[in-house]
Amino acid sequence: MAVNEAERRAMTRALSLATLGPRGVNPQVGAVLLSPDGTVLAEGWHHGAGTPHAEVDALSKLAPGAARGATAVVTLEPCNHTGRTGPCALALIDAGVARVVYALDDPGAVSGGGAERLRDAGVSVDAGEQADAAHAVISGWLTAQRLGRPHITVKWAQSLDGRAAAADGSSQWITGPSARADVHRRRAEADAIVVGTGTVLSDDPSLTARDGDALFADQPVPVVIGSRATPDDAAVRRHPRPPLFYDTRDLHAVVADLQARGIQSLFVEGGPTLASAFVSARLVDRVLAYIAPVLLGGDRLALTDIGVPSIGEARRLTVEEWLPLGSDLLAIASPSPDRPSADRPSPAGPREEGAA
């Protein structure tokens, strides 16, 4: 059965509702219930760990029996497991829902399979509506399910000749105001922002996400990696959220701990040494390279050694977009799918922390 216009509109609305939920160990999910004639009956979203999932949140706003014959439009496949809450697939079946339209399959080995359960109960199911948009909303969570770690963006700003700073170490500002505003917007979309102690000691960054002179409502958790001590009066210690400090060079251990803390997306902005370490460790899902039309020369490269001894072992990227920002250019790229990978996939677990 083809998705109709009312269901498409409902999916657009469900995607908007999903973003109202908190980012973290659970996916952001939205749901809209439609009557057989396409009228919106109820809406819901997941409010956080231990609370009803989006479908059940929407059903709770209706009187018993009011959802019989309805269509549930959901951004993620209804779950099929019992954790802190029961299976959403069963809740929809018990409510008498006749049709389910969802955007993305649930990748969880435990929580997936809701669509099959619905079909077995005679419910019409259609998958894939606005899947790309739904993927964008929960890309961090999906990466965590696939790899057992957060989605990692590595960002740097560089001159046209690939330098991150002038010979004396000065780098403010290589790029212009439009590029810097874009960086802050992307910071606000991340769960955590990561720098090394070298950046903290040399630049004393606040690691906040700013909208002009004001702070965005959503602030990333500041993370500092390195063995050198962060001064008591460092700007990062005045961040709205308590900073996390890691005295280690083991990036896999760092990202594993951040994952355990509910961090689903990292924004790495720590200078050439840290950026190169993440790239070398193959801990990068997206690269943001802000390129300014200036020449600096010298040896202060945007990336240092990343473990590429010959051209045949170059880290190949796929450019997703070239984005002009004032006089600067942003290259948005991701590692090519056929690249060798040191990532160790882990079986996807339940959609909910402590659900088992």
Side-chain angles (χ1 to χ4, degrees):
M1 181 176 176
V3 174
N4 60 41
E5 187 58 34
E7 291 166 347
R8 290 192 184 93
R9 289 195 301 269
M11 182 62 77
T12 299
R13 174 59 179 165
L15 289 166
S16 177
L17 292 168
T19 64
L20 299 177
R23 295 193 301 261
V25 295
N26 302 302
Q28 295 170 292
V29 182
V32 175
L33 298 176
L34 299 176
S35 69
D37 66 0
T39 301
V40 174
L41 297 174
E43 300 177 339
W45 67 90
H46 189 206
H47 294 257
T51 66
H53 289 183
E55 304 93 316
V56 176
D57 185 43
L59 288 170
S60 71
K61 298 168 184 176
L62 297 177
R68 189 160 302 280
T71 294
V73 179
V74 194
T75 59
L76 185 66
E77 178 186 9
C79 70
N80 191 37
H81 80 289
T82 299
R84 297 185 191 179
T85 59
C88 293
L90 181 59
L92 294 170
I93 293 167
D94 289 346
V97 167
R99 176 166 164 77
V100 172
V101 176
Y102 70 88
L104 292 173
D105 291 332
D106 188 324
V110 176
S111 55
E116 182 178 359
R117 185 171 190 173
L118 289 163
R119 291 190 180 100
D120 288 346
V123 177
S124 168
V125 178
D126 205 309
E129 172 62 24
Q130 299 188 44
D132 288 347
H135 189 283
V137 172
I138 59 170
S139 60
W141 181 81
L142 290 169
T143 298
Q145 299 307 296
R146 180 169 56 88
L147 298 176
R149 62 159 177 79
H151 184 277
I152 301 173
T153 296
V154 176
K155 167 264 175 184
W156 66 79
Q158 66 172 67
S159 62
L160 197 59
D161 56 344
R163 270 60 181 178
D168 64 356
S170 59
S171 61
Q172 297 182 343
W173 298 101
I174 290 177
T175 56
S178 295
R180 296 197 295 274
D182 186 77
V183 169
H184 280 277
R185 179 181 63 79
R186 295 178 189 275
R187 283 183 180 182
E189 294 172 351
D191 293 335
I193 180 171
V194 185
V195 298
T197 51
T199 296
V200 170
L201 295 173
S202 63
D203 296 342
D204 193 27
S206 63
L207 301 186
T208 53
R210 297 185 298 278
D211 183 7
D213 293 330
L215 294 180
F216 279 102
D218 291 328
Q219 289 292 314
V221 174
V223 177
V224 180
I225 302 175
S227 58
R228 287 180 286 179
T230 298
D232 292 340
D233 61 349
V236 68
R237 294 190 182 276
R238 299 190 295 275
H239 193 283
R241 304 187 68 174
L244 300 174
F245 299 95
Y246 293 91
D247 182 3
T248 180
R249 293 187 178 184
D250 187 345
L251 296 183
H252 286 278
V254 171
V255 298
D257 184 71
L258 291 172
Q259 165 70 9
R261 293 172 181 269
I263 300 296
Q264 298 291 326
S265 57
L266 304 184
F267 194 83
V268 178
E269 196 176 352
T273 300
L274 191 63
S276 300
F278 270 89
V279 174
S280 182
R282 299 189 186 276
L283 290 172
V284 54
D285 302 294
R286 176 167 290 181
V287 167
L288 301 177
Y290 293 84
I291 305 167
V294 298
L295 301 174
L296 294 175
D299 58 1
R300 295 183 178 270
L301 298 172
L303 286 183
T304 58
D305 182 15
I306 58 171
V308 177
S310 65
I311 192 65
E313 297 180 57
R315 304 294 178 87
R316 303 290 178 180
L317 303 177
T318 299
V319 175
E320 301 168 7
E321 186 177 4
W322 293 100
L323 181 62
L325 295 166
S327 62
D328 304 313
L329 185 64
L330 169 61
I332 304 174
S334 58
S336 297
D338 59 349
R339 72 194 189 283
S341 178
D343 289 328
R344 297 179 295 276
S346 60
R351 278 168 55 175
E352 198 171 83
E353 182 184 25

